[in-house]
Short mmCIF file of all heavy atoms in Angstrom, two decimals:
data_model
loop_
_atom_site.label_atom_id
_atom_site.label_comp_id
_atom_site.label_asym_id
_atom_site.label_seq_id
_atom_site.Cartn_x
_atom_site.Cartn_y
_atom_site.Cartn_z
N ARG A 281 269.62 85.63 121.52
CA ARG A 281 270.38 85.74 122.75
C ARG A 281 271.59 84.71 122.68
O ARG A 281 271.49 83.65 122.15
CB ARG A 281 269.58 85.43 123.87
CG ARG A 281 268.46 86.45 124.31
CD ARG A 281 267.57 86.11 125.28
NE ARG A 281 266.64 87.17 125.56
CZ ARG A 281 266.68 87.84 126.70
NH1 ARG A 281 267.58 87.69 127.59
NH2 ARG A 281 265.87 88.96 126.83
N ARG A 282 272.69 85.22 123.26
CA ARG A 282 273.85 84.37 123.28
C ARG A 282 273.84 83.63 124.57
O ARG A 282 273.16 83.93 125.56
CB ARG A 282 275.09 85.30 123.42
CG ARG A 282 275.34 86.17 122.21
CD ARG A 282 276.27 87.22 122.66
NE ARG A 282 276.28 88.37 121.61
CZ ARG A 282 277.00 88.36 120.53
NH1 ARG A 282 277.91 87.52 120.36
NH2 ARG A 282 276.90 89.30 119.61
N LYS A 283 274.45 82.38 124.49
CA LYS A 283 274.60 81.56 125.75
C LYS A 283 275.73 82.19 126.62
O LYS A 283 276.76 82.43 126.19
CB LYS A 283 275.03 80.12 125.37
CG LYS A 283 273.87 79.38 124.74
CD LYS A 283 274.21 77.89 124.61
CE LYS A 283 273.01 77.10 124.24
NZ LYS A 283 272.26 77.59 123.16
N LEU A 284 275.36 82.47 127.85
CA LEU A 284 276.22 83.17 128.83
C LEU A 284 276.92 82.26 129.90
O LEU A 284 276.18 81.19 130.34
CB LEU A 284 275.43 84.28 129.50
CG LEU A 284 274.84 85.26 128.62
CD1 LEU A 284 273.99 86.24 129.49
CD2 LEU A 284 275.99 86.02 127.85
N LYS A 285 278.02 82.55 130.30
CA LYS A 285 278.58 81.73 131.49
C LYS A 285 277.88 82.27 132.62
O LYS A 285 277.53 83.45 132.76
CB LYS A 285 280.08 82.06 131.46
CG LYS A 285 280.89 81.53 130.35
CD LYS A 285 282.23 81.87 130.44
CE LYS A 285 283.08 81.33 129.23
NZ LYS A 285 284.45 81.89 129.11
N PRO A 286 277.68 81.41 133.59
CA PRO A 286 276.89 81.84 134.79
C PRO A 286 277.40 82.92 135.58
O PRO A 286 276.75 83.83 136.15
CB PRO A 286 276.98 80.57 135.70
CG PRO A 286 277.27 79.39 134.72
CD PRO A 286 278.01 80.07 133.60
N ALA A 287 278.82 83.17 135.48
CA ALA A 287 279.48 84.21 136.32
C ALA A 287 279.14 85.67 135.78
O ALA A 287 279.27 86.63 136.47
CB ALA A 287 280.90 84.03 136.27
N ILE A 288 278.57 85.78 134.59
CA ILE A 288 278.38 87.07 133.87
C ILE A 288 277.06 87.52 134.26
O ILE A 288 276.01 86.80 134.10
CB ILE A 288 278.47 87.02 132.42
CG1 ILE A 288 279.93 86.63 132.02
CG2 ILE A 288 278.11 88.36 131.73
CD1 ILE A 288 280.16 86.47 130.58
N ARG A 289 276.86 88.70 134.85
CA ARG A 289 275.57 89.24 135.28
C ARG A 289 275.14 90.36 134.38
O ARG A 289 276.00 91.03 133.79
CB ARG A 289 275.60 89.60 136.65
CG ARG A 289 275.89 88.36 137.70
CD ARG A 289 276.19 88.92 139.03
NE ARG A 289 275.50 90.13 139.40
CZ ARG A 289 275.99 91.00 140.40
NH1 ARG A 289 277.09 90.70 140.98
NH2 ARG A 289 275.39 92.10 140.72
N GLU A 290 273.92 90.64 134.48
CA GLU A 290 273.39 91.80 133.69
C GLU A 290 274.10 93.07 134.26
O GLU A 290 274.15 93.31 135.56
CB GLU A 290 271.87 91.93 133.89
CG GLU A 290 271.08 90.92 133.15
CD GLU A 290 270.98 91.19 131.60
OE1 GLU A 290 271.12 92.40 131.27
OE2 GLU A 290 270.76 90.24 130.92
N SER A 291 274.64 94.07 133.44
CA SER A 291 275.12 95.22 133.87
C SER A 291 274.13 96.25 134.32
O SER A 291 273.09 96.33 133.64
CB SER A 291 276.18 95.81 132.73
OG SER A 291 275.29 96.02 131.66
N ALA A 292 274.54 97.05 135.27
CA ALA A 292 273.63 98.12 135.63
C ALA A 292 273.63 99.28 134.66
O ALA A 292 274.60 99.52 133.96
CB ALA A 292 274.01 98.72 137.00
N ALA A 293 272.52 99.90 134.39
CA ALA A 293 272.42 100.96 133.40
C ALA A 293 272.84 102.32 134.05
O ALA A 293 272.19 102.78 135.06
CB ALA A 293 271.03 101.06 132.76
N PRO A 294 273.79 103.12 133.47
CA PRO A 294 274.06 104.39 134.07
C PRO A 294 272.92 105.36 133.80
O PRO A 294 272.39 105.42 132.69
CB PRO A 294 275.40 104.73 133.30
CG PRO A 294 275.29 104.02 132.02
CD PRO A 294 274.57 102.75 132.30
N PRO A 295 272.48 106.20 134.62
CA PRO A 295 271.43 107.06 134.50
C PRO A 295 271.91 108.16 133.43
O PRO A 295 273.18 108.57 133.43
CB PRO A 295 271.12 107.68 135.82
CG PRO A 295 272.36 107.47 136.59
CD PRO A 295 273.02 106.26 136.06
N ALA A 296 270.98 108.66 132.76
CA ALA A 296 271.21 109.82 131.84
C ALA A 296 269.90 110.66 131.68
O ALA A 296 268.86 110.07 131.67
CB ALA A 296 271.61 109.33 130.43
N ALA A 297 270.11 111.88 131.52
CA ALA A 297 268.88 112.81 131.33
C ALA A 297 268.67 112.84 129.87
O ALA A 297 269.49 112.94 128.98
CB ALA A 297 269.30 114.19 131.69
N PRO A 298 267.33 112.67 129.57
CA PRO A 298 266.86 112.66 128.12
C PRO A 298 266.70 114.13 127.63
O PRO A 298 266.50 114.97 128.39
CB PRO A 298 265.56 112.01 128.15
CG PRO A 298 264.95 112.42 129.47
CD PRO A 298 266.20 112.55 130.46
N PRO A 299 266.68 114.28 126.37
CA PRO A 299 266.32 115.64 125.92
C PRO A 299 264.88 115.89 126.17
O PRO A 299 264.12 114.98 126.24
CB PRO A 299 266.56 115.46 124.31
CG PRO A 299 266.60 114.08 124.07
CD PRO A 299 267.03 113.30 125.33
N GLY A 300 264.57 117.04 126.43
CA GLY A 300 263.13 117.42 126.62
C GLY A 300 262.77 117.56 128.09
O GLY A 300 261.72 117.99 128.33
N GLY A 301 263.68 117.03 128.97
CA GLY A 301 263.47 117.32 130.31
C GLY A 301 262.59 116.35 131.14
O GLY A 301 262.38 116.27 132.21
N ALA A 302 262.03 115.34 130.43
CA ALA A 302 261.19 114.31 131.09
C ALA A 302 262.12 113.33 131.82
O ALA A 302 263.35 113.51 131.68
CB ALA A 302 260.36 113.64 130.09
N GLU A 303 261.51 112.45 132.46
CA GLU A 303 262.30 111.45 133.26
C GLU A 303 263.28 110.69 132.27
O GLU A 303 262.76 110.31 131.19
CB GLU A 303 261.39 110.48 133.98
CG GLU A 303 262.14 109.52 134.94
CD GLU A 303 261.26 108.57 135.54
OE1 GLU A 303 260.01 108.64 135.34
OE2 GLU A 303 261.82 107.77 136.30
N ALA A 304 264.55 110.51 132.67
CA ALA A 304 265.47 109.98 131.82
C ALA A 304 265.08 108.51 131.40
O ALA A 304 264.89 107.74 132.35
CB ALA A 304 266.83 110.01 132.42
N PRO A 305 265.03 108.27 130.20
CA PRO A 305 264.76 106.76 129.83
C PRO A 305 265.90 105.96 130.34
O PRO A 305 265.59 104.75 130.76
CB PRO A 305 264.77 106.75 128.34
CG PRO A 305 265.40 108.14 127.90
CD PRO A 305 265.21 109.06 128.99
N ALA A 306 267.07 106.41 130.49
CA ALA A 306 268.16 105.54 130.90
C ALA A 306 268.17 105.25 132.45
O ALA A 306 268.78 104.41 132.84
CB ALA A 306 269.50 106.10 130.56
N LYS A 307 267.23 106.17 133.18
CA LYS A 307 267.06 105.88 134.55
C LYS A 307 266.23 104.64 134.71
O LYS A 307 266.28 103.95 135.81
CB LYS A 307 266.36 106.97 135.21
CG LYS A 307 267.33 108.15 135.45
CD LYS A 307 266.64 109.29 136.17
CE LYS A 307 267.62 110.42 136.37
NZ LYS A 307 266.92 111.66 136.81
#
Side-chain angles (χ1 to χ4, degrees):
R281 286 175 181 250
R282 296 160 197 270
K283 287 190 167 49
L284 301 175
K285 294 176 182 173
I288 297 175
R289 294 167 35 202
E290 290 283 333
S291 59
E303 186 181 357
K307 283 181 179 172

